[in-house]
């Protein structure tokens, strides 16, 4: 196709974006738009699936049947979120097998937060409250993403995320109001998950290589720093409400701006974890690889059954 024709198509495409007209799978789109969506949505899907592991670790050790049922429901929801998002990548032409292999080979990323261990039951509270709380902050704007299938998947995901955040905060509230040992367990979980949770939003805007273009294409509606700030402003009062202390001695409310100012984020730690050198990176990817190997017989049986059904239908 001539350069001139592509330029006209790109201009028409950007006009649709500027006028908030959703881009659908069969619409023309620049390769770069397609590729950055496959990158972001596949990594989002990987995050949902890998995110099941830290919490799955506590299903058999939940303190009572109600907590077990709630945690089980949450982990099952995450699997569904992963399925929606892998399906959304397929509407862009991505191959499901290749996408999953990219996770197992380390080519693809998933959210840094899931490379931290869950050491106590209170961590189930901290993960629901902080990680799903951060995910909601980041996913609600994605309901207005310019790419139709992603935006629609996010509407369903966000409804379930609010249950995830609420059940986590309820765990923290109960523990904080419990015995001194329970309150200490909740504070310890907050101490370990606070900084990794605010790193979830990605590097500062000045360091973010995708934000500017993603904002122009309305894939992102807010920048990493804007969402991080929103999360901090909402979450600090919640911690104060239940008598827990945010582990940041420099945290202070700025009356003039109406925002909390916080201490420096350890970006060296962040990039080390993103590069694969976090506490649990190897365990997480090994677990996903093993799940694929152990599930091979199920996929083979399902395919054999489908083939037999197709042959029977043809014969009838
Ligand atoms: N963990 C791992 N990698 C990260 C990261 C994080 N927290 N934040 C940024 N990165 C990576 C980016 O993927 C990019 O690398 P790449 O080019 O190889 O993909 C690089 O760091 C530069 O970051 P940018 O800010 O320029 O990248 P993005 O514009 O893609 O912004 C993002 C990063 C904010 C995570 C964005 O991709 C996004 O909004 N993704 C969709 C939401 C999502 O994936 N959330 C993760 C958690 S899902 C979850 O928590 C599920 C819940 O149910 C528990």
């Amino acid at each position: 196709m001539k350069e001139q024709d592509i330029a006209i198509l790109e201009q028409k495409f950007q006009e649709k974006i500027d006028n908030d007209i959703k881009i659908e799978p069969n619409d023309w789109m620049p390769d770069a738009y397609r590729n950055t969506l496959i990158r972001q949505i596949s990594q989002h899907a990987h995050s949902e699936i890998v995110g099941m592991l830290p919490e799955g670790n506590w299903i058999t050790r939940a303190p009572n049947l109600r907590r077990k049922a709630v945690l089980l429901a949450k982990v099952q929801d995450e699997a569904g979120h992963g399925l929606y998002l892998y399906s959304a990548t397929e509407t862009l032409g991505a191959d499901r097998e290749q996408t999953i292999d990219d996770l197992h080979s380390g080519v693809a990323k998933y959210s840094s937060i899931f490379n931290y261990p869950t050491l106590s039951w209170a961590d189930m509270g901290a993960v629901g409250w902080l990680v799903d709380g951060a995910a909601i902050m980041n996913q609600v704007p994605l309901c207005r993403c310019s790419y139709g299938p992603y935006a629609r998947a996010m509407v369903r995901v966000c409804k379930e995320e609010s249950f995830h955040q609420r059940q986590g905060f309820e765990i923290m509230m109960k523990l904080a109001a419990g015995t001194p040992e329970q309150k200490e367990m909740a504070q310890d979980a907050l101490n370990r998950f606070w900084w990794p949770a605010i790193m979830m939003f990605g590097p500062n805007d000045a360091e973010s290589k995708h934000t500017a273009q993603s904002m122009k294409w309305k894939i992102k509606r807010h920048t990493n720093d804007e969402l991080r700030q929103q999360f901090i402003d909402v979450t600090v009062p919640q911690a104060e409400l239940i008598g827990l202390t945010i582990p940041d001695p420099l945290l202070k409310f700025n009356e003039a701006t109406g925002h909390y100012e916080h201490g420096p984020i350890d970006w060296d730690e962040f990039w080390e974890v993103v590069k694969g050198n976090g506490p649990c990176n190897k365990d997480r990817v090994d677990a996903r690889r093993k799940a694929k190997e152990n599930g091979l017989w199920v996929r083979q049986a399902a395919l054999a059954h489908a083939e037999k059904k197709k042959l029977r239908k043809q014969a009838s």
Side-chain angles (χ1 to χ4, degrees), residues 17-38:
I17 298 277
D18 296 343
N19 292 310
D20 286 326
I21 296 168
K22 284 277 183 269
I23 306 299
E24 296 299 337
N26 296 331
D27 294 345
W28 185 89
M29 60 184 86
D31 289 346
Y33 177 81
R34 183 186 303 277
N35 295 336
T36 207
L37 278 170
I38 290 176

Side-chain angles (χ1 to χ4, degrees), residues 90 94-104 292 296 299:
E90 287 171 311
D95 171 78
R96 172 77 66 93
E97 279 307 297
Q98 185 56 55
T99 301
I100 290 174
D101 286 348
D102 287 348
L103 169 66
H104 299 166
K292 178 170 180 181
L296 178 62
R299 295 193 297 278

Side-chain angles (χ1 to χ4, degrees), residues 13-270:
F13 170 81
Q14 191 60 49
E15 278 164 13
K16 284 174 78 172
I17 298 277
D18 296 343
N19 292 310
D20 286 326
I21 296 168
K22 284 277 183 269
I23 306 299
E24 296 299 337
N26 296 331
D27 294 345
W28 185 89
M29 60 184 86
D31 289 346
Y33 177 81
R34 183 186 303 277
N35 295 336
T36 207
L37 278 170
I38 290 176
R39 173 190 65 81
Q40 175 165 328
I41 301 172
S42 61
Q43 292 181 159
H44 193 165
H46 297 329
S47 302
E48 301 282 0
I49 298 301
V50 173
M52 294 164 71
L53 295 169
E55 290 174 311
N57 182 24
W58 280 87
I59 289 173
T60 53
R61 297 185 279 171
N64 59 49
L65 186 59
R66 174 174 176 269
R67 289 288 179 209
K68 181 174 187 161
V70 168
L71 186 58
L72 207 49
K74 175 183 190 304
V75 172
Q76 283 170 330
D77 281 350
E78 310 298 11
H81 298 174
L83 184 63
Y84 295 144
L85 293 166
Y86 283 132
S87 304
T89 62
E90 287 171 311
T91 67
L92 288 155
D95 171 78
R96 172 77 66 93
E97 279 307 297
Q98 185 56 55
T99 301
I100 290 174
D101 286 348
D102 287 348
L103 169 66
H104 299 166
S105 65
V107 162
K109 296 183 168 73
Y110 57 89
S111 189
S112 46
I113 187 73
F114 297 121
N115 289 307
Y116 292 83
T118 45
L119 304 175
S120 76
W121 172 253
D123 288 12
M124 292 306 98
V127 167
W129 173 36
L130 300 175
V131 176
D132 290 74
I136 292 174
M137 218 49 96
N138 159 288
Q139 291 173 163
V140 165
L142 286 171
C143 297
R144 294 184 297 118
C145 165
S146 57
Y147 185 59
Y150 196 21
R152 291 188 289 271
M154 281 296 107
V155 172
R156 171 71 184 271
V157 166
C158 288
K159 287 196 177 102
E160 292 169 343
E161 282 313 354
S162 19
F163 144 63
H164 298 173
Q165 192 269 358
R166 205 146 324 125
Q167 63 82 39
F169 188 61
E170 189 199 29
I171 291 174
M172 294 302 265
M173 203 162 53
K174 283 262 169 37
L175 290 171
T179 63
E181 295 77 11
Q182 286 173 329
K183 181 163 187 179
E184 173 46 36
M185 185 165 63
Q187 184 62 56
D188 169 58
L190 174 56
N191 292 346
R192 284 183 288 106
F193 276 93
W194 173 253
W195 290 101
I198 61 175
M199 290 177 196
M200 272 175 77
F201 291 94
N204 285 132
D205 295 347
E207 308 303 315
S208 164
K209 64 180 171 188
H210 298 297
T211 291
Q213 183 60 62
S214 290
M215 293 286 284
K216 190 162 178 281
W217 280 332
K218 296 187 181 177
I219 293 171
K220 280 185 169 180
R221 292 299 195 142
H222 299 283
T223 69
N224 297 357
D225 288 334
E226 286 168 354
L227 292 177
R228 193 182 347 265
Q229 187 64 59
Q230 271 178 31
F231 172 72
I232 292 170
D233 289 346
V234 161
T235 310
V236 172
Q238 290 171 350
E240 288 169 353
L241 179 76
I242 58 177
L244 296 182
T245 308
I246 298 286
D248 176 359
L250 298 177
L251 187 78
K252 71 173 181 334
F253 187 70
N254 181 323
E255 294 293 343
T257 62
H259 294 300
Y260 284 91
E261 290 167 2
H262 58 84
I265 294 173
D266 183 347
W267 291 115
D268 292 341
E269 176 186 330
F270 170 75

